[in-house]
Amino acid sequence: MITPPLAPDVLARYPGLERLGRTATRLHPRPGAVAATDSHVGGPLLWPADEPWPTCVTPYMVQEEVPIPVELVARMRAAERGRRQPHILAEGEIELHQEIAALVGPGFVGWGSRGGGPVVGYRYVPRPHLTPNPMVALAQLRARDVPDLPRPGGADLLQVLWCPFEHSVGPWGPTVELRWRREADLTDLLAEPPRGEVGTDGYVPRQCRLHPEQVVEYPYPEELPEGLRRLVDEKDEEGGDDDEDYVDTFMAPGWKVGGYADWSLTDPHPTPCPRCAGPTTLALVIDSSERGTGRWQPTRADGEPDHDPYEPTGVVVGRHGALRIFVCLSCPDVPFLLNQQ
């Protein structure tokens, strides 16, 4: 996979930006058989036979339906019909929403009906795993394949596992485990990992080979020096809706290691180490899609099997977003922080 370079005049439009460039490794996952010795998504891991496989004991979230009395539904419908403008709530409508929320109870997320059936309120409630649930192998990355992979303590292998259920601890989604290893230390290996229950199919990845490619990225606009930030705002405004904006041009989409975080959904958010409160490093982006614009568009190589180039892994995070893993390289055991966009 080859990302076309920036046009020669693009960086020149932003004086001083070039010195802020940082390398990132686009992983370019593509469906295909993999071995435990490969860097991959969704394949077998080089796992020590004498090390317990990670399990999840964090309660997961399930959706429940609570019937809403017909009389309350009628009052709510009448209030909705009384709106003077479509998006401005009628008098008393807020109080009725609060009454429904109180009836449904903690975890209330909305109300409605399915296929013309009775109107119900929806809530999410925690439910414990009956037994500790074995996690799913999400990815294995080798430093020899992925040049931007951090190497805490001389580690040259990162293994990422998660529990394929929705949880409310941290960002809504799977609980995550990281293992940093030295590949040379791995000799007696686990033949077959345990299999657990799956709550969300989008958290079970397809096996994908990786085609790592190192690129250069630049900071999210709000993390730029003030002068450059104003210039970016001006250029994006001049470009209009038909042109690629700064983020489209300078920040890579999809699965990647290193580089800069895209904060388009929430604006920049602090990512302090959960242990020392110091700075963290973006280690991995787990993305629902490889879709990008312009030079970032995924391509299919000649002779490559037919597949969806935009969603090769089958992983869906949040509302079709991305889960980012930030690690602290200063603390022992490499604590990490999750952020979802």
Side-chain angles (χ1 to χ4, degrees), residues 61 64 66 101-109 122-126:
M61 306 302 289
E64 291 185 345
V66 178
L103 173 68
V104 174
F108 171 72
V109 292
Y122 303 109
R123 67 182 181 187
Y124 278 95
V125 297

Side-chain angles (χ1 to χ4, degrees), residues 178-339:
L178 304 184
R179 292 290 188 275
W180 299 91
R181 307 189 187 278
R182 298 174 192 239
E183 195 169 346
D185 297 339
L186 302 174
T187 52
D188 187 16
L189 300 176
L190 182 68
E192 187 69 30
R195 296 184 181 276
E197 299 295 322
V198 173
T200 303
D201 290 341
Y203 295 149
V204 180
R206 301 186 189 105
Q207 282 198 14
C208 286
R209 301 181 65 84
L210 302 182
H211 302 80
E213 177 199 21
Q214 196 172 46
V215 296
V216 177
E217 287 191 316
Y218 297 88
Y220 185 74
E222 291 192 24
E223 296 184 307
L224 291 169
E226 182 61 28
L228 268 174
R229 189 163 93 177
R230 286 199 305 268
L231 182 59
V232 166
D233 290 341
E234 292 170 8
K235 296 289 187 186
D236 282 356
E237 217 170 283
E238 291 171 6
D241 296 333
D242 297 330
D243 292 46
E244 294 175 28
D245 64 13
Y246 172 93
V247 171
D248 293 334
T249 303
F250 292 107
M251 306 192 78
W255 285 64
K256 69 180 181 182
V257 168
Y260 286 102
D262 180 352
W263 297 100
S264 296
L265 185 62
T266 63
D267 292 332
H269 189 278
T271 57
C273 169
R275 185 174 303 163
C276 72
T280 54
T281 298
L282 179 61
L284 176 64
V285 176
I286 299 159
D287 210 328
S288 301
S289 173
E290 298 293 300
R291 189 179 300 274
T293 60
R295 67 195 188 104
W296 303 118
Q297 286 280 17
T299 58
R300 184 181 293 121
D302 292 341
E304 191 176 4
D306 187 36
H307 67 270
D308 181 352
Y310 295 118
E311 299 177 9
T313 66
V315 169
V316 179
V317 176
R319 295 184 178 181
H320 220 78
L323 183 67
R324 293 94 70 81
I325 301 177
F326 295 84
V327 300
C328 178
L329 301 177
S330 300
C331 286
D333 304 324
V334 201
F336 64 93
L337 179 75
L338 303 178
N339 176 273

